[in-house]
């Protein structure tokens, strides 16, 4: 279960969904694991507007992960600024960058990739603050099947 | 009328538990090994999604569609834990265990959804329409300001498939049990085991009709190799 996914999950109960407290779900007793993967910076920039940033802040806080900035970053914050802080004296000709493919991730870009895509909850549970129901996460997979009395 | 809809609902659930969910749980790994080639319409739909789109694959099975476009993010779900475990291996996506009628997703949040070969496993007309309506609810709605709504691609098995191995055609019974033979391991002496899965075979025009009953709009539809498919969207929010 990636942290990014938590940004798109609510309680499965119909009665909870309209309630603001059914999102985000609250992780508890979590065992985290880093699963390394290639950084796709364009993808990261593109999903940025789709994130619920306050929800992300509360999830990372509850998981005890490093704090996020209060305001959502802009797409350009995720890449190293053109021309700016480039190290000199590498002895290489700076060639024209083909715009899209060679954008270099900034520290923030790398941090967000690590947080959203690489950090996973392997074991634990997700609690709905609206009804108190807890959904188990086992071997990285969250189970949202409801016991019959809650359907 | 004497049979309350709640009772009907419970019966539908129990029936599907026995004739759909349990079967897939048992045959998961064999089923998965036979499902690897994406259907062209589904492939095209997924490849057309803009980079960075967030979508759902509802009833993802082994997750064979998760590999089509690495530049979108898909949260896949299925009722079968064993199938989800296989689907969860596809990066960068995510997979959870969930029931189509009780999805753990907020309404009107997603850029697209696919539900491939799933709706035909629901055993009453009400439940099939309800499932389509749940799918449509996950989509962003078009607004009067001109913003485009999201789209869902839905795929179901067709009654009209004269040329297939099963040979069903127009006029045949639409609610059928389809056997799945799990071969005993070679040399183990284990006998073959046959599982029966429930299907509702859709006839021409029926999927479109169900989408309309679910409150959706059919944007495109057609027939592809023994299946009916439709691309559907939610209705526009009425300006008040
Ligand atoms: Zn709840």
């Amino acid at each position: 279960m990636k942290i990014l996914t938590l940004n798109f999950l609510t309680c499965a109960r119909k009665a909870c969904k309209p309630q603001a407290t059914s999102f985000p779900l609250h992780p508890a007793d979590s065992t985290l694991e880093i699963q390394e993967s290639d950084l796709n910076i364009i993808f990261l920039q593109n999903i940025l507007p789709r994130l619920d940033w306050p929800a992300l802040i509360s999830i990372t806080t509850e998981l005890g992960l490093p704090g996020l900035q209060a305001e959502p970053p802009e797409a350009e914050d995720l890449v190293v600024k053109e021309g700016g802080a480039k190290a000199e004296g590498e002895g290489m000709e700076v060639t024209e960058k083909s715009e899209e493919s060679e954008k270099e991730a900034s520290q923030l870009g790398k941090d967000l990739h690590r947080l959203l895509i690489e950090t996973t909850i392997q074991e634990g549970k997700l609690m709905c603050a609206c009804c108190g129901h807890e959904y188990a996460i086992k071997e990285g997979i969250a189970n949202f099947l409801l016991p019959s009395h809650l359907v | 009328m004497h049979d309350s809809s709640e009772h009907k609902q419970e019966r539908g659930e129990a029936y599907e538990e026995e004739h759909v969910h349990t079967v897939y749980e048992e045959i998961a790994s064999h089923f998965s090994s036979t499902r690897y080639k994406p259907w062209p319409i589904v492939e095209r739909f997924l490849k057309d999604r803009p980079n960075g789109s967030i979508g759902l694959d509802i009833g993802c099975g082994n997750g064979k569609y998760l590999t089509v476009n690495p530049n979108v993010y898909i949260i896949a779900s299925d009722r079968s834990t064993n199938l989800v475990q296989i689907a969860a291996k596809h990066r960068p996506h995510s997979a959870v265990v969930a029931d189509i009628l009780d999805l753990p997703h907020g309404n009107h949040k997603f850029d697209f959804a696919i539900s491939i070969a799933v709706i035909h496993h629901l055993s009453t007309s009400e439940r099939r329409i309800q499932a389509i309506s749940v799918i449509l609810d996950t989509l962003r709605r078009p607004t009067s300001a001109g913003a485009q709504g999201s789209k869902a691609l839905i795929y179901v098995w067709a009654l009209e498939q004269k040329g297939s191995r099963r040979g069903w055609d127009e006029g045949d019974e639409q609610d059928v049990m389809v056997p799945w033979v799990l071969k005993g391991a070679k040399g183990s002496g284990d006998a073959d085991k046959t599982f029966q899965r429930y299907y509702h075979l859709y006839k021409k025009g029926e999927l479109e009709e169900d989408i309309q009953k679910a409150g959706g709009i059919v944007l495109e539809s057609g027939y592809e190799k023994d299946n009916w498919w439709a691309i559907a969207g939610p209705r526009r929010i009425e300006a008040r």
Side-chain angles (χ1 to χ4, degrees):
Chain A
M1 158 81 35
K2 294 180 183 66
I3 305 302
L4 176 57
T5 306
L6 267 179
N7 219 261
F8 299 97
L9 292 175
T10 63
C11 184
R13 294 180 69 183
K14 288 179 186 73
C16 288
K17 274 196 206 179
Q19 312 297 326
T21 48
S22 70
F23 174 84
L25 297 171
H26 303 279
D29 305 337
S30 312
T31 307
L32 300 181
E33 190 179 296
I34 300 290
Q35 296 182 344
E36 292 194 348
S37 70
D38 294 337
L39 195 162
N40 180 344
I41 193 68
I42 313 282
F43 169 76
L44 213 53
Q45 286 182 309
N46 282 322
I47 60 166
L48 203 53
R50 308 303 318 284
L51 297 178
D52 186 313
W53 196 256
L56 197 57
I57 290 181
S58 87
I59 290 162
T60 50
T61 309
E62 286 169 26
L63 286 171
L65 294 168
L68 289 170
Q69 59 192 71
E71 293 299 318
E74 301 286 334
E76 61 194 33
D77 302 334
L78 303 193
V79 292
V80 175
K81 302 240 181 334
E82 293 287 320
K86 209 165 277 169
E88 281 183 63
E90 297 267 307
M92 270 166 48
E93 287 276 291
V94 179
T95 46
E96 284 288 306
K97 289 199 168 179
S98 61
E99 303 125 64
E100 294 293 334
S101 61
E102 292 185 44
K103 278 184 187 169
E104 193 191 330
S106 65
Q107 191 55 48
L108 181 61
K110 289 175 190 164
D111 289 348
L112 272 182
H113 173 71
R114 171 132 297 205
L115 171 68
L116 296 171
I117 312 287
E118 294 189 326
T119 306
T120 64
I121 305 179
Q122 285 303 109
E123 304 288 329
K125 49 200 179 192
L126 297 171
M127 201 260 288
C128 168
C130 184
C131 68
H133 188 64
E134 288 175 344
Y135 299 95
I137 302 176
K138 286 186 187 135
E139 294 173 50
I141 293 166
N143 188 325
F144 288 95
L145 297 182
L146 294 165
S148 56
H149 69 279
L150 290 184
V151 174
Chain B
M1 296 301 104
H2 305 288
D3 190 12
S4 77
S5 67
E6 209 171 299
H7 266 117
K8 234 168 155 183
Q9 182 86 356
E10 272 172 30
R11 277 214 319 260
E13 260 174 62
Y15 187 81
E16 289 152 25
E17 178 61 39
E18 181 179 353
H19 297 291
V20 180
H21 310 319
T22 310
V23 179
Y24 276 110
E25 202 69 350
E26 296 269 345
I27 67 175
S29 73
H30 180 228
F31 172 81
S32 178
S33 68
T34 64
R35 296 289 185 280
Y36 47 85
K37 213 170 159 232
W39 282 324
I41 300 274
V42 188
E43 202 169 6
R44 189 201 69 188
F45 179 82
L46 288 173
K47 284 190 169 151
D48 283 350
R49 299 306 105 204
N51 192 319
S53 299
I54 313 276
L56 298 175
D57 182 349
I58 300 165
C60 64
N62 66 349
K64 70 172 165 168
Y65 293 108
L66 300 179
T67 54
V68 172
N69 186 347
N71 296 315
V72 300
Y73 191 65
I74 300 177
I75 297 155
S77 58
D78 202 280
R79 195 73 176 56
S80 160
T81 309
N82 289 345
L83 284 171
V84 168
Q85 269 159 1
I86 301 169
K89 296 190 172 88
H90 300 296
R91 313 272 166 228
H93 312 285
S94 214
V96 300
V97 179
D99 190 298
I100 189 167
L101 298 180
D102 296 293
L103 288 179
H105 306 299
N107 287 341
H108 316 305
K109 288 243 179 198
F110 295 89
D111 300 313
F112 68 90
I114 60 171
S115 188
I116 310 301
V118 177
I119 305 292
H120 55 212
H121 281 313
L122 290 146
S123 60
T124 68
S125 168
E126 290 80 5
R127 287 169 67 80
R128 289 189 289 274
I129 293 166
Q130 206 184 331
I132 295 172
S133 132
V134 166
I135 295 169
L136 294 171
D137 279 344
T138 65
L139 301 176
R140 282 188 295 103
R141 284 182 293 207
T143 62
S144 41
Q148 280 246 319
S150 312
K151 295 172 185 175
L153 173 62
I154 300 172
Y155 234 87
V156 288
W157 221 5
L159 177 64
E160 300 84 351
Q161 46 172 304
K162 214 165 30 183
S164 82
R165 180 158 66 96
R166 318 278 182 191
W168 298 300
D169 202 5
E170 200 185 331
D172 285 346
E173 171 60 43
Q174 285 183 263
D175 295 285
V176 297
M177 301 302 287
V178 181
W180 182 276
V181 181
L182 199 58
K183 295 248 182 259
K186 266 204 189 101
S188 68
D190 289 348
D192 293 356
K193 208 170 164 191
T194 303
F195 295 90
Q196 300 286 345
R197 284 171 302 163
Y198 168 83
Y199 279 89
H200 174 80
L201 302 169
Y202 269 76
K203 61 182 182 196
K204 188 178 185 345
E206 189 180 356
L207 178 59
E208 288 90 334
E209 218 173 89
D210 277 2
I211 289 168
Q212 271 149 15
K213 284 183 191 156
I217 303 168
V218 179
L219 302 163
E220 224 182 304
S221 63
Y223 181 88
E224 184 184 53
K225 210 177 176 307
D226 309 333
N227 290 274
W228 294 110
W229 60 270
I231 296 175
R235 277 185 208 290
R236 197 155 69 90
I237 311 162
E238 297 305 327
R240 289 228 146 195

